[in-house]
Amino acid sequence: MIQKESYLDVADNSGAKELCCFHIVGSTRKRFAFLGDTIICSVKKAIPGGLVKKGDIVTAVIVRTKKAHRRDDGSYIRFGDNAAVIIKDAEMIGSRVFGPVARELRAKGYLKLVSLAPEVL
């Protein structure tokens, strides 16, 4: 459950290390974003020589949340951190994904992201 001003880790090799969400894509009054939702973020920390720099405005998709997500079969999935992957025009900027990602991303249409992930839970 991500809202405005939430900080997220970056789970790809785009060069960014930390993001701050400032808009949730989808509706004017949409308050929270969950697994697979798209958000607009500002890069707060980045490594030198990366594809994105500190202060850049990027679009990201949420791949992990601390808040438990209920699945249709009644089970719950919960991660240890909040993380996102930076995208541009529905394609990833980076070429690798770090850490596990949720299975719900496949239903949202992020097939390349799921295929690059080391583990899908």
Side-chain angles (χ1 to χ4, degrees):
M1 188 162 69
I2 307 298
Q3 61 185 356
K4 291 183 180 183
E5 301 298 322
S6 293
Y7 275 70
L8 300 97
D9 297 329
V10 179
D12 64 8
N13 64 343
S14 61
K17 287 294 175 192
E18 194 172 63
L19 302 173
C20 179
C21 172
F22 67 84
H23 181 72
I24 298 161
V25 176
S27 176
T28 308
R29 290 173 179 37
K30 191 170 181 182
R31 185 166 177 188
F32 301 111
F34 300 97
L35 289 172
D37 286 348
T38 306
I39 56 175
I40 309 292
C41 300
S42 172
V43 177
K44 293 298 183 182
K45 290 183 185 173
I47 61 171
L51 297 173
V52 294
K53 311 252 182 299
K54 181 181 174 185
D56 285 355
I57 305 302
V58 295
T59 304
V61 60
I62 299 171
V63 295
R64 294 192 293 268
T65 57
K66 284 185 178 181
K67 176 69 177 170
H69 174 76
R70 185 176 190 276
R71 292 187 167 158
D72 292 336
D73 63 356
S75 64
Y76 288 87
I77 183 74
R78 176 174 56 206
F79 297 95
D81 64 340
N82 294 321
V85 170
I86 297 174
I87 60 173
K88 183 175 185 178
D89 300 328
E91 290 294 323
M92 292 178 42
I93 290 180
S95 58
R96 294 174 61 198
V97 176
F98 304 122
V101 299
R103 192 181 333 141
E104 285 76 10
L105 295 173
R106 187 184 313 271
K108 297 270 183 153
Y110 297 105
L111 299 176
K112 183 176 178 185
L113 192 151
V114 172
S115 69
L116 290 174
E119 189 175 7
V120 180
L121 299 176

